[in-house]
Amino acid sequence: MATQNHLSHCSRLHPTDRRQFLKTSTLVTAGAAILPGGIVSQSLAASKPKQSQAETLVKTLYNSLSETQRSNVCFDFDHRLKHEIDNNWFIVNDHRVRSYTREQQAMIREIFMKMHSEEYADQVMKQVLEDSGRGGFGECSIALFGKPDTGKFQFVLTGRHTTRRCDGDSVEGTAFGGPIFYGHAAQSFNERPQHPDNVYWFQAKRANEVFQMMDGKQRKQALMVRSRDEQGKKTIALTGENEGLDGVRMTELTSDQKDEVRNQLNDLLLPFREGDRQESLKLIEKSGFDNLHLAFYKGDDVGDDGVWDVFQIEGPNMIWYFRGDPHVHTWVHIKDHV
């Protein structure tokens, strides 16, 4: 309950205040343990064992698999399934998480949690549980490609509104080890304009703050009619092009507007673990920040309220496509080159 209250309070803050709140809260949590009655204990915090990284748990999970399990969910590193993605799919359909032992299920859940920031992991899990129906997290599916400790290994978890990858940088020059997907249908399939209780709606609100900073000419360039279709991995196909992309190019923005786009990108990455956030930002800058285009889509405006529910940031080597109509779907693919 304390974690939920922490995240609820965080989500109501202005983005700048939220970032400071998260930073401060993380430092407090790292440096102290809370005893009954609210007493802070530094000694207990210091004695708390350091938690394992996601990749360490993936190796432990791999070693725990029986030969039968490996034959069902383990594949060569370059197997075609590793390159697939969709908004609602199961990478190994006949072997859901619920079919594993209790200990293995706990490891899979912890791997997923550790692929996200401590501040948002509980909220991300809330989304998975709400979107997965009665089966909850057990409805998800996993696959493992390659072998741990070989430098070529990836763990993939999929389900409704969920595709996540954990690879220990086995896939060079690619954020998250490949394209990922996240989304949420919080209260219904067709969400209301304010998207109440949606875990990811704050990201569209941040994008709209950038739009509000634009002048008339910039808004005309940024505002498009219809967004791209969702077609599995075709949705996140990278063009390698600097020109002809939807929206306003960063070269058309002022320095303070560019800074705000960088802040927006940082906020889009807040749900994910630090390593993935830093790698994503590094690759975006390496590929040329000025080559990015920011677009909003008036044809997908839920409630016709002028708060744009659909936006995308696209460059030659990246796509971040956020579709909030009728609920949130988000496609992410970031590389250093096509």
Side-chain angles (χ1 to χ4, degrees):
M1 183 63 70
T3 301
Q4 293 176 347
N5 291 338
H6 168 101
L7 290 164
S8 176
H9 173 64
C10 171
S11 64
R12 295 194 297 268
L13 296 173
H14 184 275
T16 302
D17 296 331
R18 183 179 70 249
R19 288 193 294 272
Q20 182 59 40
F21 177 78
L22 292 177
K23 180 179 179 181
T24 304
S25 299
T26 302
L27 290 173
V28 170
T29 303
I34 306 300
L35 297 174
I39 300 173
V40 179
S41 170
Q42 299 290 343
S43 60
L44 282 179
S47 64
K48 185 177 180 180
K50 184 178 180 180
Q51 294 180 325
S52 300
Q53 297 299 311
E55 281 79 6
T56 302
L57 285 173
V58 170
K59 180 180 178 181
T60 303
L61 173 66
Y62 179 87
N63 291 337
S64 76
L65 297 176
S66 68
E67 288 302 318
T68 299
Q69 288 175 320
R70 291 189 184 186
S71 67
N72 290 324
V73 301
C74 294
F75 304 91
D76 293 338
F77 184 73
D78 291 320
H79 192 278
R80 62 172 183 81
L81 276 177
K82 186 165 69 71
H83 306 288
E84 297 295 326
I85 187 171
D86 216 328
N87 57 41
N88 184 6
W89 73 301
F90 304 93
I91 194 165
V92 181
N93 191 51
D94 296 331
H95 299 277
R96 304 294 177 87
V97 169
R98 64 174 182 265
S99 69
Y100 292 81
T101 68
R102 180 178 298 180
E103 291 76 12
Q104 289 171 333
Q105 290 182 48
M107 279 190 280
I108 295 168
R109 186 185 182 105
E110 189 67 9
I111 290 166
F112 181 77
M113 294 288 279
K114 287 184 179 301
M115 287 191 281
H116 299 88
S117 66
E118 292 184 7
E119 296 80 16
Y120 277 87
D122 287 339
Q123 288 287 73
V124 172
M125 180 58 72
K126 172 180 178 289
Q127 169 265 307
V128 174
L129 296 177
E130 290 182 356
D131 285 338
S132 297
R134 295 179 63 182
F137 189 76
E139 286 299 303
C140 295
S141 176
I142 69 166
L144 299 97
F145 300 91
K147 297 180 180 180
D149 297 331
T150 64
K152 295 292 182 181
F153 185 77
Q154 186 170 106
F155 167 94
V156 181
L157 182 143
T158 71
R160 187 185 180 207
H161 294 158
T162 307
T163 298
R164 300 292 198 281
R165 304 174 190 274
C166 176
D167 74 328
D169 294 329
S170 292
V171 183
E172 296 181 4
T174 305
F176 301 105
I180 63 170
F181 180 92
Y182 62 90
H184 191 196
Q187 294 186 356
S188 64
F189 186 89
N190 295 292
E191 293 187 331
R192 299 197 298 275
Q194 296 78 23
H195 300 266
D197 294 331
N198 193 293
V199 169
Y200 300 110
W201 178 241
F202 79 92
Q203 299 185 338
K205 293 170 70 175
R206 284 293 290 119
N208 276 270
E209 290 179 5
V210 176
F211 184 83
Q212 293 303 317
M213 294 178 66
M214 296 180 183
D215 62 26
K217 178 183 177 180
Q218 293 167 332
R219 291 185 181 188
K220 186 176 180 179
Q221 291 176 296
L223 198 56
M224 314 298 291
V225 179
R226 290 292 177 186
S227 58
R228 65 180 62 209
D229 293 330
E230 292 185 286
Q231 299 177 295
K233 63 182 180 181
K234 291 183 179 179
T235 312
I236 43 77
L238 304 177
T239 68
E241 300 294 333
N242 296 330
E243 305 288 348
L245 305 177
D246 279 2
V248 61
R249 189 171 177 174
M250 292 299 105
T251 51
E252 299 297 316
L253 302 186
T254 63
S255 59
D256 61 324
Q257 290 171 332
K258 289 182 182 180
D259 287 343
E260 192 60 18
V261 173
R262 285 187 167 94
N263 289 336
Q264 176 197 348
L265 284 165
N266 187 69
D267 284 350
L268 294 180
L269 287 159
L270 282 174
F272 304 101
R273 57 181 177 170
E274 181 68 19
D276 287 332
R277 295 201 303 268
Q278 294 302 321
E279 182 181 26
S280 297
L281 294 172
K282 180 180 179 180
L283 291 173
I284 290 170
E285 293 292 343
K286 180 180 179 181
S287 297
F289 179 83
D290 280 347
N291 294 326
L292 298 181
H293 292 63
L294 175 59
F296 302 85
Y297 297 91
K298 58 184 177 182
D300 301 296
D301 182 13
V302 177
D304 295 321
D305 58 1
V307 178
W308 311 120
D309 300 80
V310 182
F311 72 89
Q312 75 174 27
I313 303 174
E314 184 178 14
N317 305 322
M318 77 160 285
I319 178 72
W320 199 302
Y321 173 48
F322 182 104
R323 183 176 71 77
D325 176 23
H327 53 264
V328 173
H329 281 189
T330 313
W331 305 77
V332 180
H333 194 191
I334 303 171
K335 294 177 67 67
D336 62 358
H337 67 276
V338 176

